[in-house]
């Protein structure tokens, strides 16, 4: 089976232009089939402020009303996605940007309203593996932004970590899939106050133990949840680390069952 | 040879949400292979104003500095393109949005600076027919926005009429191509003050005659230039008219050699 790298790059990395260009060079140099999933970063809030659109964050999550969705669509689907693709083309990597609506690549449903209405936020339903297979066979690397659609004309703001994990899982019948979560740290930290306390690996038992002790950064919990889910669904390797980890020189935590 | 419809839809039509949704319904219902090319409309200037970005128009053309290019990329490549695709998916038309960087679909070069520096504006160099063929064979309809790239990482603001004509020409070896320019009028007018003076057809000789008399609207001249070029390059039918012309009920001017 051929290898497929699914690489998620976080907003914090995207914001530092130098680090990000460096990452894109490494990514373009990564051999074989690959898919890039990118987050957004803080520019959405900056643009919202300039446009006079109010931003509401509840429990660390953005409430996505129509105006905020427009901003996200402009920024993630437009400016970020198109510039990433243009840079990758310049680096010799034939890539193609996708929102979930494009080629019906990622279908979701609007999150049901419980205690809080998060607005136009999508819970993932289905990845269109045929489209990804079509592009990958032609050596075209998809670049996915954090937008899905509901099939009824509505775009939905969708967690990029979850998109990466679901994409990775969906491609396991066709490829040996490697899922890489790149962010601003060197991996999962044993001590959140010590950036050097990187775990070289972590299994489900250790995860449960650290979680019960309240030692893990709360932001890591959904990411790790996605990792274990992906492993369970047949993804071969899952790593969390700094952007350099897609080369031989990076630091990361290997997540295992 | 199978038919291929290349449909260009202008900014004025896009701005009227009702007319535009109506057009998308007609487009989704259009049988066979098809490509949609869309312009931008006046929202770019509105957003520029809100963001405090100055807009400079010289001779009816927008000067595209970095800030204006960002706005165009956000709006045309993001908000407009992704919402069009999401609407078409809802209407049962599997479509996929493209800037020129995506899949290296449309390569251009930055317009050389002569008396005026128009900034990041692209003159078209090459259409990647392989990518369009790949998608069309899978019954995926490309939706192109007015952005190309230079292959060196730079996105370029590019005239949507020219993109439509070049795309149509590039596909003539593979399809019987029909090029449709949809705009807010019923066709080419003999009398610019009389919306009912639509020419049912127009050939090159009539064009030159009307042009020399100064009768044609100046905005029509580059559009018609593109039409005759496309015909010369093997496009089978070229029409200019209202959005309804892609059904049986629309009004249009048939452009002939």
């Amino acid at each position: 089976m051929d290898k497929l790298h699914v690489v998620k790059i976080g907003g914090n990395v995207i914001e530092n232009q130098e680090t990000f260009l460096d990452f894109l060079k490494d990514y373009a140099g990564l051999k074989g089939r690959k898919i890039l999933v990118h987050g957004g970063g803080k520019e959405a809030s900056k643009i919202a402020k300039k446009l006079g659109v109010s931003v509401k964050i509840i429990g660390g999550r953005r409430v996505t009303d129509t105006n905020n969705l427009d901003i996200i669509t402009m920024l993630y689907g437009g400016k970020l996605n198109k510039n990433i693709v243009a840079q990758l083309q310049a680096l010799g990597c034939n890539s193609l940007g996708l929102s979930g609506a494009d080629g019906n690549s990622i279908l979701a449903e609007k999150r049901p309203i419980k205690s809080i209405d998060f607005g136009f936020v999508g819970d993932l339903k289905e990845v269109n593996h045929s489209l990804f297979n079509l592009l990958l066979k032609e050596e075209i690397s998809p670049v996915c932004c954090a937008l899905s659609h509901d099939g009824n004309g509505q775009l939905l703001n969708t967690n990029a970590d979850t998109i990466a994990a679901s994409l990775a899982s969906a491609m396991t019948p066709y490829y040996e899939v490697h899922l890489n979560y790149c962010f601003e740290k060197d991996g999962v930290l044993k001590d959140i106050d010590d950036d050097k306390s990187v775990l070289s690996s972590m299994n489900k038992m250790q995860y449960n133990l650290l979680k019960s002790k309240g030692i893990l950064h709360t932001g890591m919990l959904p990411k790790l949840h996605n990792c274990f889910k992906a492993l369970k669904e047949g993804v071969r390797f899952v790593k969390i680390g700094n952007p350099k980890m897609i080369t031989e020189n990076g630091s990361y935590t290997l997540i295992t069952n």
Side-chain angles (χ1 to χ4, degrees), chain A residues 42 66 71 97 136 153 181 216-217 248:
Chain A
K42 298 191 189 95
T66 308
I71 290 170
L136 291 168
Y181 282 111
L216 292 167
H217 190 282
E248 298 298 313

Side-chain angles (χ1 to χ4, degrees), chain A residues 156-173:
Chain A
L156 295 165
N157 182 14
T158 307
N159 184 279
D161 285 348
T162 309
I163 288 180
S166 301
L167 240 169
S169 296
M171 299 311 285
T172 54

Side-chain angles (χ1 to χ4, degrees), chain A residues 177-192:
Chain A
V177 185
H178 296 226
L179 175 58
N180 305 273
Y181 282 111
C182 301
F183 74 145
E184 69 280 11
K185 305 274 180 195
D186 288 341
V188 182
L189 305 179
K190 211 162 35 182
D191 174 357
I192 42 171

Side-chain angles (χ1 to χ4, degrees), chain A residues 233-246:
Chain A
E233 289 170 359
V235 173
R236 189 72 182 84
F237 290 103
V238 179
K239 297 175 183 175
I240 298 184
N242 67 32
K244 272 285 164 201
M245 79 169 168
I246 62 168

Side-chain angles (χ1 to χ4, degrees), chain A residues 48 51-54 64-74 120:
Chain A
L51 292 175
V53 169
S54 64
T64 311
D65 62 7
T66 308
N67 288 332
N68 275 285
L69 182 67
D70 275 353
I71 290 170
I72 284 166
T73 307
M74 290 200 290
F120 297 108

